[in-house]
Amino acid sequence: MVVASLVNTERRMLKAMLAKPDHTWSLGDILAHCEWQDQAVAVGAGQGLADKKLVRIIESTETEVRLGKNGLLASDNGLLEARLWDWYNSTDNPTMSGLQSSFEKFETGPGIGLLKKLGVVLNAGVFACDNPSSVTEQINDRQAFLSAIPAKLSEIDGNMLEHFKNRREFIELVYVTHRTWSLTKTGAKIDAASLVETTTINEITPELLQSDEWKNAEFRAFDVTLESNTPRTGRSHPMQSLIERIRHIFLEMGFSELVEDYVQTAGWNMDALFIPQDHPAREMQDTFYLENPQSIDLPSDLMQTWSEIHQSGGETGSTGWGGDFSTQTSQKGLLRTHTTVNTIQYLAENPEQACRMFTVDRVFRKEAIDRTHLPEFHQIEGIIMEEGANLQMLVTTLKTFYAKMGYPEVRVRPAYFPYTEPSLEIEVKWRGKWLELGGAGIFRPEVTEPLGIKHPVLAWGMGLERLAMLVLGLDDIRQLYISDLEWLRNQPLI
Ligand code: PHE
């Protein structure tokens, strides 16, 4: 049982220890007997065995004295005072200038200080010493001390330690942990013969599964608590993932997707939707009108119908907006300001067949860029045209969509759009606040009747970026489009 749970390094260490069950093992012992170079392997295996109560670890911390930078130099080249003393003894006339010419400049100053403290005096530029054997003895003691280092703090001479502590970077004190390992009673009972090292399999490959090798092999268990690197692989941009998710939700709810061009006419973008030709939103400051194509031909009977509706309501019973209607205005080329331009064209082409359509696509408005506005953004547009379609159905559809997106709290409020009646604003609760995400309503007769649309049409258009801000928890809409790789890598899967 226990053996099966041991990894190879633990097996090897335990087996080595079972050869001398009463021995207390040092790190060196373990490394030698297990034929390991890396002490981390031994420490890891020992810890693993201790966790399984097979081995006992005794740790002791100790201060060790080691040579510092200058201590190492001295141990290679000899202590400065020793070299000076040799020079003194081998020179007939040990003068200051003689010393200066025999030693490096940086050595002479401290060197003279050292000699003086040892009992060498300087008289009129000549060195002299009363008690040379005492000097030799002191220097020998110092050299003996240095050659015994590294050593445990508790085992070395205190005075000597004080002396060298005062010399810059000669010695350093280091705290070291010593470990020893010994078998516990349970550990000692393990049968050494059972401790066979096995091939452990880290990865399951098709080759492995095809061969028979896996039958006798052991599989390494996953440790989900270990730190690991996140693989840097490609992934969808969060906006793309969000669009995919929205697509799935609408497809699931029985909708079909509509993909259309964003170069459109003012006629379809506005006239068809009964937006008066003098509506402020049509002005240059809101709409991007195109230079090329500046104008796109529209069938004259279609423009005639819109003209009648706008001026007098045509045959719909409406009074229209009055005023003049310009077919030139209708044919102006523009970048669509909403995706409703596409759903209305779809209905014009398919006026009788009940349908549920959606589109997630780009729209353009002359907005100043700020935290919540972009001149290019996306709308999630949809229509339901069928017999008996009503407001309740519209609200339920929107609520269902947002609930599937993870926002169960949705409310609608009265609003105004020239092309719907009634008109709604959709709000979603997020972090305790109601946020406006889009508009909706039932197309007015001024919109549907001239196109021969059979049944009531429920329609909505919602902001995709606004929704993305909720989903991704953003304060600034621009974050979605600045290609910040670090941010992109860390986005959750949507
Ligand atoms: N087109 C509207 C907008 O851009 C949204 C909307 C679509 C409203 C359909 C009502 C019906 O804000």
Side-chain angles (χ1 to χ4, degrees), residues 296-335:
I296 302 169
D297 290 341
L298 285 172
S300 51
D301 53 340
L302 184 65
M303 290 190 286
Q304 183 55 37
T305 316
W306 290 339
S307 166
E308 283 165 20
I309 295 279
H310 278 245
Q311 285 175 314
S312 62
E315 285 158 27
T316 62
S318 162
T319 56
W321 297 111
D324 294 331
F325 186 90
S326 151
T327 54
Q328 204 191 333
T329 302
S330 297
Q331 296 179 95
K332 273 191 185 171
L334 51 72
L335 295 177

Side-chain angles (χ1 to χ4, degrees), residues 126-192:
V126 183
F127 293 101
C129 180
D130 283 348
N131 190 353
S133 57
S134 146
V135 178
T136 306
E137 199 181 318
Q138 289 180 70
I139 291 178
N140 287 347
D141 285 351
R142 287 183 192 174
Q143 280 186 320
F145 176 85
L146 278 190
S147 60
I149 283 179
K152 293 179 185 171
L153 181 63
S154 54
E155 289 167 3
I156 60 170
D157 179 76
N159 290 333
M160 215 40 118
L161 178 69
E162 279 315 304
H163 169 85
F164 281 108
K165 263 192 182 169
N166 291 327
R167 294 173 73 167
R168 214 161 60 85
E169 292 183 81
F170 246 78
I171 50 167
E172 38 191 53
L173 302 182
V174 196
Y175 296 97
V176 281
T177 304
H178 291 284
R179 289 186 191 83
T180 57
W181 294 266
S182 52
L183 290 174
T184 59
K185 273 189 191 152
T186 329
K189 279 186 208 143
I190 303 271
D191 175 13

Side-chain angles (χ1 to χ4, degrees), residues 6-117:
L6 301 181
V7 298
N8 282 340
T9 49
E10 293 165 354
R11 290 179 190 207
R12 187 182 295 192
M13 179 161 163
L14 186 56
K15 192 168 186 171
M17 292 176 77
L18 282 164
K20 284 194 269 173
D22 299 322
H23 188 63
T24 298
W25 297 73
S26 69
L27 181 64
D29 288 344
I30 302 263
L31 290 176
H33 282 80
C34 295
E35 295 179 349
W36 287 329
Q37 258 83 53
D38 185 353
Q39 53 169 298
V41 175
V43 173
Q47 189 59 52
L49 292 170
D51 290 345
K52 291 167 192 109
K53 310 259 187 288
L54 302 173
V55 154
R56 186 180 310 112
I57 305 178
I58 296 165
E59 282 190 354
S60 59
T61 323
E62 210 166 27
T63 309
E64 212 175 86
V65 183
R66 295 198 184 152
L67 291 176
K69 199 175 88 198
N70 291 330
L72 287 168
L73 276 177
S75 104
D76 286 348
N77 307 332
L79 272 170
L80 177 58
E81 56 269 47
R83 288 187 289 124
L84 288 165
W85 188 236
D86 284 347
W87 166 82
Y88 173 88
N89 287 317
S90 60
T91 312
D92 294 336
N93 186 19
T95 60
M96 180 69 166
S97 55
L99 183 141
Q100 279 166 339
S101 61
S102 305
F103 287 85
E104 300 284 346
K105 213 170 169 192
F106 69 89
E107 296 176 320
T108 51
I112 292 163
L114 285 165
L115 287 180
K116 281 185 175 167
K117 279 196 192 133

Side-chain angles (χ1 to χ4, degrees), residues 482-490:
I482 57 175
S483 306
D484 173 347
L485 281 183
E486 206 42 47
W487 178 80
L488 287 170
R489 280 180 184 134
N490 292 319

Side-chain angles (χ1 to χ4, degrees), residues 144-360:
F145 176 85
L146 278 190
S147 60
I149 283 179
K152 293 179 185 171
L153 181 63
S154 54
E155 289 167 3
I156 60 170
D157 179 76
N159 290 333
M160 215 40 118
L161 178 69
E162 279 315 304
H163 169 85
F164 281 108
K165 263 192 182 169
N166 291 327
R167 294 173 73 167
R168 214 161 60 85
E169 292 183 81
F170 246 78
I171 50 167
E172 38 191 53
L173 302 182
V174 196
Y175 296 97
V176 281
T177 304
H178 291 284
R179 289 186 191 83
T180 57
W181 294 266
S182 52
L183 290 174
T184 59
K185 273 189 191 152
T186 329
K189 279 186 208 143
I190 303 271
D191 175 13
S194 68
L195 293 167
V196 187
E197 290 184 40
T198 56
T199 337
T200 40
I201 291 173
N202 296 322
E203 200 182 358
I204 298 173
T205 59
E207 291 78 10
L208 176 77
L209 293 175
Q210 276 158 22
S211 75
D212 274 346
E213 275 170 51
W214 60 271
K215 286 187 181 159
N216 299 318
E218 262 182 46
F219 292 88
R220 200 174 127 205
F222 282 113
D223 184 349
V224 292
T225 63
L226 287 179
E227 284 276 334
S228 74
N229 291 331
T230 309
R232 291 272 157 104
T233 54
R235 53 176 296 187
S236 290
H237 191 283
M239 279 302 269
Q240 200 53 49
S241 314
L242 182 61
I243 292 175
E244 284 309 322
R245 194 165 147 210
I246 293 168
R247 279 203 178 111
H248 276 107
I249 293 178
F250 278 116
L251 293 171
E252 209 174 272
M253 290 168 70
F255 284 75
S256 305
E257 188 169 3
L258 190 64
V259 183
E260 284 297 342
D261 206 346
Y262 50 73
V263 173
Q264 294 289 344
T265 55
W268 282 112
N269 195 83
M270 293 134 177
D271 299 336
L273 291 164
F274 198 51
I275 300 174
Q277 285 198 329
D278 59 1
H279 194 285
R282 291 201 182 209
E283 296 303 316
M284 287 299 286
Q285 64 265 26
D286 272 274
T287 305
F288 288 107
Y289 288 100
L290 297 171
E291 260 171 36
N292 183 18
Q294 199 168 33
S295 179
I296 302 169
D297 290 341
L298 285 172
S300 51
D301 53 340
L302 184 65
M303 290 190 286
Q304 183 55 37
T305 316
W306 290 339
S307 166
E308 283 165 20
I309 295 279
H310 278 245
Q311 285 175 314
S312 62
E315 285 158 27
T316 62
S318 162
T319 56
W321 297 111
D324 294 331
F325 186 90
S326 151
T327 54
Q328 204 191 333
T329 302
S330 297
Q331 296 179 95
K332 273 191 185 171
L334 51 72
L335 295 177
R336 67 178 168 216
T337 62
H338 54 185
T339 37
T340 320
V341 64
N342 299 118
T343 47
I344 192 61
Q345 283 175 92
Y346 177 85
L347 290 168
E349 282 159 27
N350 306 276
E352 299 191 357
Q353 178 70 45
C355 68
R356 294 175 165 228
M357 305 300 295
F358 80 96
T359 147
V360 185

Side-chain angles (χ1 to χ4, degrees), residues 338 340 365 379 381 417 419-420 439-441 459-461:
H338 54 185
T340 320
R365 288 180 201 173
Q379 285 189 324
E381 186 89 22
F417 299 100
Y419 37 100
T420 47
W460 61 87

